Amino acid sequence: MLPVFVIDSAVTVGNWELPFPVRTIGIKVYIDDKEYTDDVDIDKETFYSLFGKAKNFRTAVPSPLEMERVLRDIISEGCTRIYCVHLSSKLSAFYNVMKSVTERLKEKFPSVTFRVIDTRQVSIGAGYVLLKLMESVKDGREDLERVVQEANERIKIRFSVLEFDYLMKSGRVKAITGMLGNLIKIHPILSIEDGELRVVAKKRGLKNVVEKIVQDLKIDGRKMLGLVYAGEEMKEIVLEIEEKLKDEHIERVDIVRLPPTLAVHSGPKMFGAGVFIL
């Protein structure tokens, strides 16, 4: 039987043909203290319609019991190899909770092999790591931590937000930085470096932000391009970035909408792009 890959809802998968089956565990999303499970009982369209209406947004990792239930279901189907691939452990507790769940299940199911893997990425970046992991498992590689490192060396992510309120509330940026951004339109350009959120530049005005993102992602050679946006009004911006980055070496382009799991922290005015060098 084929191995099964278990991911969380912060791992963004494009419209890819994957060699192995995937199960997604949705992260909990709380909107004005009402609980939802991402991609289970709330979809992206419904979620984004609530911005401007709801006052409070937050996320939480699913309970160990919920994670265990998913893994037990997979085992009951006869699977003996389960790969759990998750967003950066420096941005979420999901990886550590899943690690403890699988350690407990190893004692009950000694014939099942569990591998819990920290992508050190989020969104489309984590999706690119997943692709590389699947390719490596198909080729019989066992050194998956090395595979993650190799993949991260070939991924470059840049994104920005046009309003800071949500990042400030989630603790992802300092309050003073957010206040300055909201007041004088200086926007950060962010990246994921070694699993952490990093500000790599600050630019005044949307035009300069787009130009800097394009400049940073202009990379020679064969590559995949991923474009991510939150609110519908941000889609036009990523289409502009796509047009500026297009060249004959891009083998595929994926345009995806940020899942509720992540949009809770970024707010609706988030956009970004990433390249995966092949």
Side-chain angles (χ1 to χ4, degrees):
M1 185 176 180
L2 288 174
V4 173
F5 281 72
V6 176
I7 64 174
D8 59 71
S9 53
V11 179
T12 303
V13 179
N15 188 26
W16 304 329
E17 291 185 13
L18 301 174
F20 301 113
V22 173
R23 304 281 180 87
T24 302
I25 301 177
I27 290 174
K28 300 298 179 183
V29 176
Y30 293 87
I31 303 173
D32 285 343
D33 294 324
K34 183 176 180 180
E35 181 184 283
Y36 300 90
T37 301
D38 193 358
D39 206 31
V40 174
D41 52 17
I42 188 168
D43 59 23
K44 292 176 183 176
E45 287 68 28
T46 302
F47 172 79
Y48 280 103
S49 72
L50 294 172
F51 278 114
K53 301 175 184 177
K55 294 181 179 180
N56 297 304
F57 295 84
R58 64 185 178 91
T59 57
V61 173
S63 71
L65 185 62
E66 289 176 84
M67 295 185 189
E68 182 172 329
R69 189 180 301 122
V70 172
L71 298 181
R72 283 180 175 271
D73 285 346
I74 295 169
I75 294 168
S76 71
E77 295 167 4
C79 181
T80 57
R81 285 190 295 159
I82 301 176
Y83 297 87
C84 304
V85 181
H86 302 300
L87 80 161
S88 172
S89 62
K90 294 181 179 178
L91 298 175
S92 168
F94 204 113
Y95 167 84
N96 291 321
V97 176
M98 180 61 85
K99 191 83 173 171
S100 66
V101 169
T102 57
E103 288 298 326
R104 188 165 62 248
L105 287 178
K106 283 178 184 178
E107 299 177 4
K108 298 176 181 178
F109 300 98
S111 63
V112 178
T113 300
F114 298 95
R115 295 291 297 272
V116 184
I117 301 160
D118 179 358
T119 64
R120 302 178 208 161
Q121 284 286 344
V122 70
S123 187
I124 196 73
Y128 288 147
V129 175
L130 174 68
L131 277 180
K132 187 62 180 176
L133 285 165
M134 285 188 168
E135 176 187 306
S136 300
V137 168
K138 193 174 181 180
D139 291 342
R141 285 186 65 173
E142 294 290 335
D143 56 335
L144 299 185
E145 286 73 20
R146 176 62 185 166
V147 171
V148 171
Q149 181 179 337
E150 291 171 357
N152 271 277
E153 289 169 356
R154 292 157 57 182
I155 295 169
K156 197 166 189 179
I157 302 290
R158 292 291 185 270
F159 63 97
S160 188
V161 294
L162 300 186
E163 60 183 23
F164 283 87
D165 297 342
Y166 297 93
L167 280 175
M168 288 165 61
K169 288 178 182 177
S170 69
R172 296 305 194 270
V173 294
K174 292 180 180 178
I176 186 63
T177 302
M179 290 169 62
L180 286 171
N182 283 338
L183 289 172
I184 59 176
K185 305 303 179 185
I186 293 179
H187 307 297
I189 298 169
L190 303 107
S191 180
I192 301 292
E193 306 289 345
D194 193 29
E196 293 184 300
L197 193 64
R198 300 275 175 84
V199 176
V200 296
K202 296 176 185 177
K203 294 292 179 180
R204 187 190 301 274
L206 176 59
K207 180 181 178 182
N208 290 327
V209 170
V210 169
E211 287 180 355
K212 177 60 176 172
I213 289 175
V214 170
Q215 177 187 332
D216 286 358
L217 297 184
K218 277 278 188 184
I219 296 170
D220 293 331
R222 292 170 53 242
K223 52 193 171 287
M224 296 170 63
L225 172 64
L227 300 149
V228 182
Y229 68 98
E232 188 63 34
E233 67 272 27
M234 298 293 102
K235 189 172 183 179
E236 186 177 334
I237 300 173
V238 298
L239 291 176
E240 178 185 349
I241 293 171
E242 177 193 15
E243 191 62 33
K244 291 176 180 293
L245 285 173
K246 268 185 178 177
D247 64 39
E248 68 275 14
H249 302 299
I250 294 178
E251 299 207 350
R252 69 169 293 143
V253 177
D254 293 284
I255 301 177
V256 296
R257 199 164 190 187
L258 198 68
T261 291
L262 300 174
V264 163
H265 303 291
S266 72
K269 294 188 177 181
M270 173 274 174
F271 63 93
V275 292
F276 182 36
I277 303 166
L278 300 172

